[in-house]
Amino acid sequence: MSNHTIVGFKIKGIRESKKLSIEEIAERSGLSADQIASIENDQYLPSLGPLIKIARALGVRLGTFLDDNDELGPVICRAQDRERNSSISFSNGATEARKNMVYHSLARQKAGRSMEPFIIDIQPSEEKDFKLSAHEGEEFIYVMEGEIEIAYGLEKYVLKQGDSIFYDSIVEHHVHGLAGKSAKILAVVYIPV
């Protein structure tokens, strides 16, 4: 079972355990019932924004969709383990566009977290019209390799290796490699409970 399948499977399982219909989750999240169904059935994996809305509608943390264990103490993620551990891809498009960003969770075993730290491999993309998304919280990004462009509201910011940015994620935004190039970033997403 791939990781994006696990996300849809977990969403469906939580929804059913709470005896909620797809329509109720759609109403609570502001997403369409078709979007929810396609996510649950692995036909569409959205960006983090819609997943955060679904998490809120279900009354769970975003990390619930990514968790492996429920470790209460510190969690250590060794570099060699991160590369061997499974990752998850998110995109703003349909299933075939999933390889835009590959997320390596750095805290998937930590229970009750409000921050989601990731190493993200950004794959080259020739797309120029990115769909912006917004969600509650804040994001911190540090560029480890390559160059990225962040569309933030009406502005665009180019960051190079060693640069960082901290922003309110309620403003519509999109992160992608600069001019079709690949990059690697450290991203920490904070979502208020």
Side-chain angles (χ1 to χ4, degrees), residues 7-171:
V7 171
F9 179 77
K10 285 186 177 181
I11 289 170
K12 184 175 184 176
I14 294 166
R15 178 184 60 76
E16 289 177 346
S17 74
K18 293 180 179 257
K19 298 182 176 24
L20 295 169
S21 69
I22 288 177
E23 291 73 22
E24 288 171 303
I25 296 304
E27 184 178 323
R28 290 180 181 187
S29 67
L31 301 173
S32 73
D34 287 342
Q35 281 178 291
I36 305 291
S38 66
I39 291 167
E40 286 187 0
N41 295 318
D42 190 34
Q43 296 168 338
Y44 172 73
L45 187 68
S47 64
L48 286 176
L51 286 178
I52 290 168
K53 290 177 182 179
I54 293 169
R56 286 227 180 270
L58 290 170
V60 299
R61 299 172 299 103
L62 172 65
T64 304
F65 304 148
L66 308 173
D67 289 346
D68 273 348
N69 300 313
D70 290 323
E71 179 64 45
L72 297 175
V75 171
I76 296 172
C77 181
R78 305 270 184 215
Q80 67 270 17
D81 296 335
R82 183 183 71 241
E83 295 305 320
R84 283 193 302 249
N85 286 343
S86 53
S87 59
I88 187 164
S89 299
F90 294 110
S91 73
N92 283 328
T95 302
E96 59 273 7
R98 282 203 178 124
K99 297 303 175 189
N100 180 9
M101 300 175 91
V102 179
Y103 289 65
H104 305 276
S105 178
L106 299 177
R108 64 188 310 147
Q109 292 87 6
K110 180 67 176 160
R113 65 190 181 274
S114 297
M115 293 187 306
E116 294 295 335
F118 298 102
I119 297 290
I120 304 173
D121 294 317
I122 301 174
Q123 305 300 320
S125 173
E126 296 303 322
E127 189 170 340
K128 293 184 182 3
D129 296 322
F130 295 97
K131 182 179 177 188
L132 305 182
S133 67
H135 52 86
E136 292 182 62
E138 301 170 332
E139 293 184 32
F140 171 80
I141 294 174
Y142 175 82
V143 181
M144 299 170 66
E145 297 173 9
E147 297 178 58
I148 64 169
E149 181 178 68
I150 299 175
Y152 184 77
L154 299 176
E155 301 293 323
K156 290 192 178 178
Y157 300 96
V158 174
L159 280 72
K160 298 179 180 183
Q161 183 174 338
D163 293 345
S164 65
I165 186 171
F166 188 107
Y167 56 85
D168 294 316
S169 44
I170 195 73
V171 175

